[in-house]
Amino acid sequence: MKTEVQEWIEAKYRNYFNYINRPGAADLLQWMGANGFFEAPASKRHHGAKPGGLAEHSVNVFKRLIMLNAEESERQQSLNYDLETVAVCGLLHDLCKIDAYRLTEGQQGKPEYQLTKNFPAGHGEKSVILILQFMHLTQEEILAIRWHMGQYDFYARGGGFDLDNAFRQSKLAVMLHLADMMATHFDGRKRKSEKK
């Protein structure tokens, strides 16, 4: 049973999803609802490690990305992404986590999330693959979602230049990475005073 907070976050997420008007978007949202997106956590034990945490984190990333887009649009008149692109990237960047965790009994009988290792296609790659099963993405949206983990992406740590090349080609990729980090570290973690 969902809490009032979970229901509120789901309603907010669905409202923001209305900015995505591409063919297949409604089917994608329906699939997400049927497959546990709104109950899923955003992480195993860090930001959003609770039922509904994934939807809440995605809303926070979307809102951060709107602010970064507006700031950069004002600073660089040539850089301005439409609201649909911002919604696609912000709301769907972590779709890969829809089935990434399952609740188990941990040490001392406390519930905890464990990785499922379902469809191990990579983090950003899996999100892109799942989205493309329902609707079209632009090349820039693909780059942004694929590389939203930035230097924390496993493949970026291997010494290749794909991350740098993606960030050079797509300012959206840079902004999505920053929005994700801001939402994770500023919006998604409990403060010491809240942990009690």
Side-chain angles (χ1 to χ4, degrees):
M1 179 139 186
K2 291 181 185 173
T3 66
E4 284 184 38
V5 172
Q6 283 177 274
E7 288 177 357
W8 181 76
I9 290 293
E10 181 176 344
K12 188 173 243 188
Y13 185 98
R14 288 179 181 276
N15 186 49
Y16 290 144
F17 198 92
N18 286 326
Y19 292 120
I20 305 171
N21 295 306
R22 296 176 192 178
D27 292 336
L28 172 57
L29 184 59
Q30 182 178 8
W31 176 84
M32 290 164 61
N35 286 278
F37 180 85
F38 297 104
E39 294 78 37
S43 72
K44 182 177 170 179
R45 64 176 160 262
H46 300 293
H47 69 288
K50 61 186 178 185
L54 179 55
E56 183 177 14
H57 171 68
S58 299
V59 165
N60 289 338
V61 172
F62 170 66
K63 290 161 70 174
R64 291 282 181 176
L65 190 55
I66 286 174
M67 290 188 289
L68 288 170
N69 187 46
E71 183 180 313
E72 288 306 304
S73 177
E74 187 177 313
R75 202 171 66 81
Q76 302 179 50
Q77 300 302 317
S78 62
L79 184 65
N80 185 15
Y81 296 99
D82 64 49
L83 193 52
E84 183 174 49
T85 288
V86 171
V88 165
C89 292
L91 296 174
L92 297 172
H93 74 286
D94 270 348
L95 189 58
C96 59
K97 294 180 179 180
I98 195 167
D99 64 350
Y101 306 102
R102 65 181 162 79
L103 202 53
T104 62
E105 188 175 315
Q107 295 178 351
Q108 291 101 25
K110 292 182 180 179
E112 66 179 37
Y113 288 106
Q114 293 296 324
L115 286 171
T116 62
K117 300 181 182 166
N118 291 337
F119 189 44
H123 188 85
E125 299 94 320
K126 181 179 174 184
S127 291
V128 168
I129 290 165
L130 291 172
I131 297 165
L132 288 174
Q133 291 178 27
F134 293 91
M135 68 181 200
H136 172 78
L137 292 173
T138 66
Q139 285 187 357
E140 193 162 13
E141 291 165 350
I142 289 170
L143 286 177
I145 294 168
R146 162 59 185 99
W147 290 106
H148 77 268
M149 292 292 291
Q151 70 274 19
Y152 301 105
D153 189 282
F154 174 78
Y155 298 103
R157 289 186 265 158
F161 296 101
D162 286 344
L163 173 63
D164 187 55
N165 290 334
F167 280 2
R168 285 176 196 262
Q169 290 178 34
S170 172
K171 298 309 176 202
L172 180 62
V174 176
M175 290 193 304
L176 181 58
H177 172 61
L178 294 173
D180 188 31
M181 291 297 98
M182 294 171 84
T184 297
H185 296 284
F186 299 160
D187 305 327
R189 293 185 188 249
K190 287 185 179 179
R191 285 140 192 91
K192 288 180 182 177
S193 61
E194 294 177 37
K195 290 182 180 179
K196 296 177 183 176

